[in-house]
Amino acid sequence: MTIDPENWEVLLAAVFLVINAGLSLALNLGFVRQMTVAALRMVVQMALIGLVLKVILTTKSPGLTALVATVMLAVAGYEVMARQERRLKGVWGYGLGAATMLLGASVVMLFALNVTIRPDPWYDPRYAIPLFGMMLGNAMTGIAIGLNALANDLASRRAAVEAHLLTGATRWQALAPSMRRAARAGLIPIINAMAATGVVSLPGMMTGQILAGADPEQAVRYQILVMFLIAGATGIGLVVALWGAAWRLSDRRHRIRLDRLTG
């Protein structure tokens, strides 16, 4: 049986957003506007992507697939930049997050399409776009958290880092503790997701497959594969992003350059 909710049933589920808005007003939490904007964005974006995917899945055009992936990357790069309290100035603020997300997501997606899943053709948008979206979305979260943690850690511990530099440490030695803390912060979401999957939560993709009539064992194997891929994309992107940020926030004279941060 295929689950196909009507429009009114979808709108009915939005009653819980109204409940959340009421709680926010009652408790003075101040997230009514943000939640409303986020919900509207989601509806518009999902409606548009549904129309776009309908065309792309029919034509199986590599050019259109690449165009959709580029748009996804561009939006994800902005989201990484927007989620940071202190971000790198200039093109680095956007470019570092976008480039490292592209690296992590592309490496893992190409591996999956050519080694484990092997659709024909390998760029089949039915597989490539959802996989790229999952890799990109999770890498986006990890990289945004990691970069934000690194910038805040350096800002709060600048005296300690500079004292370490004064004792003869290189910039990489002095920045290593901050980079490790930032890496742990960025990896926490995917680690928690893997630890809880199957007992605490059933991932949306696996649930969707089961609801669509897929064999549960097949859905489980596919979900495990995807979780491994997501962890790989997040880890690769996060480590390269932190290395790039640390390089930018220091110089060849082994000085900390927090003037290259906003805020």
Side-chain angles (χ1 to χ4, degrees):
M1 180 181 69
T2 301
I3 306 298
D4 185 16
E6 299 290 339
N7 289 335
W8 70 268
E9 293 172 319
V10 175
L11 290 174
L12 186 61
V15 69
F16 294 104
L17 291 182
V18 178
I19 293 174
N20 287 342
L23 291 173
S24 176
L25 291 173
L27 300 175
N28 197 27
L29 299 179
F31 63 74
V32 174
R33 180 177 179 275
Q34 294 93 324
M35 184 172 60
T36 303
V37 172
L40 291 174
R41 279 186 58 181
M42 178 193 68
V43 171
V44 173
Q45 290 167 182
M46 291 298 290
L48 291 175
I49 197 63
L51 295 174
V52 171
L53 286 178
K54 188 173 182 179
V55 175
I56 292 176
L57 295 181
T58 302
T59 60
K60 292 188 178 181
S61 167
L64 287 177
T65 302
L67 177 60
V68 171
T70 301
V71 173
M72 294 165 65
L73 176 65
V75 175
Y78 172 80
E79 291 297 330
V80 169
M81 181 180 66
R83 294 183 187 186
Q84 298 174 56
E85 298 174 25
R86 299 179 176 90
R87 58 178 178 268
L88 292 167
K89 293 180 179 178
V91 69
W92 280 85
Y94 178 88
L96 181 62
T100 52
M101 276 191 300
L102 176 61
L103 174 66
S106 296
V107 167
V108 173
M109 183 190 69
L110 290 174
F111 171 84
L113 293 177
N114 290 280
V115 178
T116 57
I117 300 175
R118 300 191 301 276
D120 184 25
W122 68 267
Y123 57 81
D124 188 338
R126 185 176 297 277
Y127 297 90
I129 291 177
L131 278 174
F132 187 67
M134 286 186 286
M135 304 303 112
L136 201 63
N138 287 273
M140 176 186 73
T141 299
I143 291 170
I145 293 174
L147 290 177
N148 189 62
L150 178 63
N152 288 337
D153 191 83
L154 289 178
S156 63
R157 297 183 60 257
R158 178 172 185 171
V161 175
E162 291 181 335
H164 199 184
L165 291 170
L166 289 174
T167 63
T170 67
R171 56 176 169 173
W172 301 112
Q173 292 171 330
L175 292 174
S178 296
M179 294 175 68
R180 282 194 292 269
R181 282 188 285 270
R184 283 195 291 267
L187 288 173
I188 282 176
I190 184 59
I191 292 174
N192 287 346
M194 287 192 294
T197 296
V199 177
V200 179
S201 66
L202 294 179
M205 186 191 71
M206 173 182 154
T207 303
Q209 284 184 303
I210 293 174
L211 291 176
D215 180 71
E217 291 186 3
Q218 180 184 9
V220 165
R221 287 195 300 272
Y222 196 67
Q223 184 62 55
I224 292 173
L225 168 64
V226 168
M227 292 301 292
F228 286 159
L229 297 175
I230 288 173
T234 302
I236 293 171
L238 175 61
V239 169
V240 177
L242 292 177
W243 182 88
W247 179 83
R248 182 61 179 168
L249 293 174
S250 58
D251 59 27
R252 294 180 180 179
R253 297 175 62 183
H254 302 281
R255 298 178 300 179
I256 299 300
R257 298 295 304 273
L258 295 187
D259 59 296
R260 292 173 176 172
L261 286 174
T262 62

